[in-house]
Amino acid sequence: MDIFVVEGGKKLNGSITVGGAKNAAVAIIPAAILSGDVCTIENLPTISDVNVISQILVQLGAKVNKLSESVIEIDARNMDCCQVSQELAKNMRASYYMLGALLGRFGRARVPMPGGCYFGVRPIDQHLKGFEALGAKTGLRDGVISLTAEGGLKGACVPLDVVSVGATINIMLAAVRAEGLTVIEHAAKEPHIVDLANFLNSMGADVRGAGTDVIKIRGVKKMHGATYSIIPDQIEAGTYMIAAAATGGDVTINNIIPKHMESISKKLMEMGVEIYEYDESIRVTRSGDLKACNVTTMPHPGFPTDMQPQMAAAMAIARGTSSITEGVWENRFQYVAELKKLGVQAEVQGRVATFVGVDHLKGGHVKATDLRGGAAMVVAALVAEGETAISEIYHIERGYEQLIDKLVGVGACIHRKTVSDDFK
Ligand code: EPZ
């Protein structure tokens, strides 16, 4: 297996360019099949989740050509299969976007229950509620979700009971080809919801209100191919902002949308970090001590749950006691036990984690418990004195492109190493 080896204690200095947003890419690639035509998707991140979702399209009969590192062409004209394989579905959460995309295109879908990071129970009742409201029959047998809409899909009002990114996306995917008007109430407002709506509209769909909590989708009979460039990754950018702040460095992060970074910038400024915003970049620098702060994660525009583990790594060395209240997932603190191995003083009680800042972290051996938990290990290892080995890095590589190159480019000492599978 491969691990990351980090020699910590170096201030990051220089500039990093972020890639396209993972959570937009994994929705937009399935959405491309709705056109029944050829689409070109640009600014894709080079991460394993994008490879897996592309492989799912190939398995379903689409042609996917890689035009360059960050551009693919999807030819969905001759697709014939509506069943996603267990092997591919279990690798990622977003495989379930094939439910909405296949239902919208063919009126039927069979997709195994998805994999992805474990944060306690991850129900999909709101997705199914939406599909049923549009007239689909839903079933679950031997771990495979099946959807059929023999008479075609019909627009409907779908008031979501919880604000769900996945359910909002899946219902949008199914509704663009349904007959009549669909209204999603209590919709999620994340930047990637808006990005998906813009992509769907560029293929001829009629989606309005994305980015607010009511999205209206008037179904269209025909869609067409399009060329579309994905938004920058808010969470990748935020992770490097925190790495710069935690190491006391001075880093400019390029290819970002400053508006998407506001909730993260605000908290870092509260911690004593200096932030300078430009049109498409942001500079993060710190000279004084980090100050403690409290964070509660919320759906957008609140502080993103996908940033809380990285924030914890910064809180670990802040002056005073900080806390994180997790407002989205029931169990997203598995990573805290790993951070403690580096000298982090923390306690978890239910959905609240408390961090008492210490002067120094020390290197050790930790594992990535999940994607963002893994990113927190990288930030903590960059701060810690001495060497840290991070195992189970496949979690990290699902969502961070060229992490080593980008960090080495700003002065970090990090490399990849192959070790035996029983490495302890
Ligand atoms: C997306 O997951 C992201 N994944 C997650 O990012 C992110 O943490 C999450 O949104 C919240 O921002 C992708 O985009 C692929 P939800 P998703 O449906 O869609 C409950 C990362 O690190 N819920 O918004 O699965 C659910 O239990 C990943 O990049 C229901 O009760 O999240 C949770 O408490 C990890 N019923 C809350 O809603 C449902 O049917 C939000 O979940 C659906 C969700």
Side-chain angles (χ1 to χ4, degrees):
M1 69 171 177
D2 281 6
I3 62 168
F4 289 156
V5 179
V6 184
E7 182 67 39
K10 299 191 170 41
K11 294 182 176 183
L12 303 186
N13 272 292
S15 66
I16 292 183
T17 299
V18 303
K22 168 182 93 84
N23 289 344
V26 296
I28 282 175
I29 293 172
I33 72 165
L34 288 160
S35 69
D37 199 354
V38 182
C39 288
T40 303
I41 317 293
E42 301 171 343
N43 199 34
L44 282 165
T46 50
I47 51 172
S48 58
D49 268 11
V50 163
N51 295 339
V52 175
I53 197 82
S54 303
Q55 280 172 40
I56 291 179
L57 258 53
V58 171
Q59 184 241 313
L60 295 172
K63 287 194 189 119
V64 179
N65 295 322
K66 200 164 181 166
L67 302 183
S68 76
E69 271 305 298
S70 60
V71 181
I72 59 171
E73 182 187 70
I74 299 168
D75 179 349
R77 283 176 296 189
N78 296 316
M79 285 181 64
D80 45 11
C81 173
C82 288
Q83 172 145 6
V84 174
S85 79
Q86 169 79 39
E87 212 41 48
L88 290 170
K90 70 166 194 231
N91 283 324
M92 68 187 300
R93 192 79 197 155
S95 53
Y96 65 12
Y97 291 149
M98 296 317 304
L99 285 167
L102 287 167
L103 186 65
R105 167 96 187 261
F106 298 108
R108 61 186 198 284
R110 282 174 63 79
V111 180
M113 285 297 281
C117 299
Y118 178 77
F119 310 132
V121 186
R122 292 184 74 172
I124 58 159
D125 57 303
Q126 299 300 305
H127 304 236
L128 300 180
K129 170 182 161 166
F131 296 140
E132 283 167 5
L134 298 180
K137 285 209 171 75
T138 62
L140 176 65
R141 208 168 149 195
D142 299 332
V144 178
I145 308 153
S146 59
L147 306 177
T148 45
E150 275 162 20
L153 294 170
K154 303 240 172 358
C157 180
V158 188
L160 293 178
D161 303 316
V162 283
V163 178
S164 160
V165 171
T168 303
I169 289 176
N170 247 334
I171 298 163
M172 285 165 77
L173 293 173
V176 285
R177 299 287 295 268
E179 194 188 316
L181 182 70
T182 297
V183 180
I184 308 174
E185 292 176 351
H186 315 307
K189 299 182 278 212
E190 269 64 7
H192 40 291
I193 304 273
V194 179
D195 209 32
L196 173 65
N198 289 340
F199 175 55
L200 291 168
N201 288 342
S202 75
M203 292 191 295
D206 183 356
V207 181
R208 294 167 199 215
T212 75
D213 43 22
V214 179
I215 301 179
K216 294 185 177 169
I217 305 146
R218 193 165 289 284
V220 294
K221 288 214 166 62
K222 237 179 123 34
M223 291 171 75
H224 51 75
T227 295
Y228 191 80
S229 184
I230 286 180
I231 51 165
D233 198 306
Q234 175 204 31
I235 307 299
E236 187 197 9
T239 302
Y240 291 127
M241 287 171 73
I242 291 182
T247 60
D250 187 342
V251 176
T252 299
I253 296 149
N254 297 318
N255 185 35
I256 58 132
I257 298 176
K259 180 89 191 145
H260 293 170
M261 309 314 303
E262 275 176 359
S263 59
I264 302 161
S265 301
K266 223 164 99 188
K267 278 294 155 191
L268 285 175
M269 288 192 283
E270 213 180 298
M271 293 178 87
V273 179
E274 288 164 51
I275 309 255
Y276 303 93
E277 247 182 52
Y278 306 100
D279 286 352
E280 291 181 359
S281 60
I282 205 159
R283 179 177 158 221
V284 181
T285 179
R286 172 171 73 84
S287 40
D289 284 343
L290 277 172
K291 292 185 235 155
C293 79
N294 301 321
V295 163
T296 300
T297 69
M298 311 258 254
H300 192 76
F303 189 91
T305 172
D306 293 347
M307 285 303 308
Q308 63 98 328
Q310 304 88 312
M311 199 60 173
M315 289 172 168
I317 50 156
R319 292 271 159 268
T321 302
S322 302
S323 76
I324 295 176
T325 304
E326 173 54 45
V328 176
W329 297 108
E330 69 173 17
N331 183 6
R332 199 174 188 166
F333 287 122
Q334 289 101 321
Y335 69 88
V336 172
E338 296 300 310
L339 280 184
K340 284 181 166 182
K341 295 178 186 167
L342 303 180
V344 172
Q345 297 285 317
E347 198 190 322
V348 177
Q349 274 188 329
R351 284 183 175 229
V352 182
T354 309
F355 300 87
V356 180
V358 294
D359 288 340
H360 304 287
L361 301 183
K362 56 178 187 330
H365 175 195
V366 290
K367 67 171 191 250
T369 51
D370 58 83
L371 168 57
R372 310 301 172 187
M377 296 310 132
V378 173
V379 175
L382 291 169
V383 170
E385 289 168 358
E387 188 177 282
T388 298
I390 306 173
S391 57
E392 307 205 12
I393 58 170
Y394 56 89
H395 286 296
I396 304 174
E397 296 190 322
R398 282 188 35 227
Y400 289 89
E401 65 169 24
Q402 297 152 20
L403 179 94
I404 289 186
D405 291 350
K406 290 186 185 187
L407 285 173
V408 167
V410 288
C413 191
I414 173 170
H415 67 275
R416 193 188 180 91
K417 185 176 172 191
T418 303
V419 293
S420 66
D421 283 351
D422 55 3
F423 175 78
K424 290 259 183 329

